[in-house]
Amino acid sequence: MWPLLEHEEQQRLLLITDELLSRKRWEAARGFELTDTVRVVIAAQAALLVLGLSTDHYRLVSAVVVHPSTLTTTGVRAGPSPGTVTADPLAVLGLAQDGRGPVVVAWDQALAGAHRAEPGHNVVLHEFAHKLDMLDGTIDGTPLLQRDLRAEWVAVCTAVYEDVAAGRPRPPMRWYGATNPGEFFAVATEVFFEQPRELAVSEPALYDVLTRFYRQDPARREPLVDPPRQPSVDQ
Ligand SMILES: [Zn+2]
């Protein structure tokens, strides 16, 4: 991502990364060693998310807790079918705890996200997006928006969300985004930054409202990919 940013964006990313490193509490879990590389790789990805906003948007992030790999949570939560509950352990890549709670991420997943190992998947962008969503007090897929954007945001996101939830694919949105509106926003954020051209072409209205909220146009940064070559045929 770094080489794709304009010079001014790179300078701003460095400033925000520095601020996140110095102002947030960084902790390691499960005996993991928190090196500078670990902190910078995570902070820089979180910084990209608010490149067009401000670090004040992370005022609910009290700390960043890094696990070496996938973590397991326990506790009662909604079960697999409506009206049920479960306390089974759940393997998760990261968490954004409520209120001023920390963001928790698995380092192996954060590193994979930095390398764009799996297009459309980025645990750091996902969990920090949840924190942006919480700023207005509720995790409902609608972050604090400019007043003139709100109605359009809700209409556009609801239309895509309802299709995915009804089993009508809207690629590049993933089905996980239909878990609830909060997950929809977090997944849409991952796709917006990781597959911006695909999103801009397939879901122009969704891409547009995300561009206006994040005040960034990531599709503009992506190099145009050559069309796939026709397979050669043996004569
Ligand atoms: Zn989530």
Side-chain angles (χ1 to χ4, degrees):
M1 174 53 65
W2 177 256
L4 301 178
L5 298 177
E6 289 175 358
H7 179 71
E8 270 182 20
E9 290 177 321
Q10 290 179 341
Q11 297 308 308
R12 190 161 157 66
L13 190 87
L14 287 175
L15 279 176
I16 297 173
T17 301
D18 261 356
E19 211 173 313
L20 295 176
L21 290 174
S22 60
R23 294 207 185 155
K24 303 301 177 189
R25 215 169 61 241
W26 292 78
E27 294 173 7
R30 299 197 345 243
F32 186 58
E33 193 191 345
L34 205 53
T35 62
D36 283 349
T37 303
V38 169
R39 293 188 309 138
V40 169
V41 164
I42 295 170
Q45 293 179 77
L48 177 68
L49 196 64
V50 293
L51 201 58
L53 303 171
S54 73
T55 47
D56 188 49
H57 283 77
Y58 286 153
R59 59 183 177 269
L60 293 182
V61 181
S62 57
V64 183
V65 180
V66 190
H67 286 240
S69 55
T70 309
L71 44 142
T72 306
T73 61
T74 51
V76 177
R77 63 184 187 281
S81 44
T84 63
V85 292
T86 178
D88 290 346
L90 176 71
V92 291
L93 317 179
L95 285 169
Q97 293 191 344
D98 285 348
R100 292 190 48 80
V103 168
V104 183
V105 290
W107 167 240
D108 57 353
Q109 300 298 323
L111 193 58
H115 289 138
R116 305 182 88 172
E118 202 178 343
H121 290 73
N122 185 304
V123 69
V124 175
L125 298 180
H126 183 106
E127 302 308 338
F128 279 82
H130 280 317
K131 279 298 193 181
L132 298 181
D133 193 359
M134 284 174 202
L135 266 183
D136 60 358
T138 51
I139 307 174
D140 59 358
T142 305
L144 273 176
L145 295 168
Q146 305 87 296
R147 190 181 293 264
D148 62 341
L149 179 54
R150 193 177 174 87
E152 192 179 342
W153 174 281
V154 171
V156 167
C157 292
T158 302
V160 180
Y161 173 78
E162 286 182 348
D163 265 0
V164 181
R168 292 186 291 272
R170 297 280 294 255
M173 277 299 295
R174 302 198 308 275
W175 67 266
Y176 187 68
T179 308
N180 57 52
E183 294 305 334
F184 181 87
F185 171 59
V187 171
T189 294
E190 290 177 84
V191 173
F192 177 67
F193 284 97
E194 296 265 311
Q195 299 173 288
R197 280 197 185 278
E198 289 96 320
L199 189 68
V201 169
S202 304
E203 297 288 356
L206 182 58
Y207 184 82
D208 178 61
V209 291
L210 286 163
T211 303
R212 284 154 64 194
F213 168 64
Y214 279 113
R215 298 177 192 273
Q216 294 190 56
D217 184 5
R220 181 187 50 77
R221 301 183 188 125
E222 295 282 301
L224 284 167
V225 181
D226 292 336
R229 284 194 313 199
Q230 295 296 320
S232 56
V233 179
D234 286 329
Q235 301 276 323

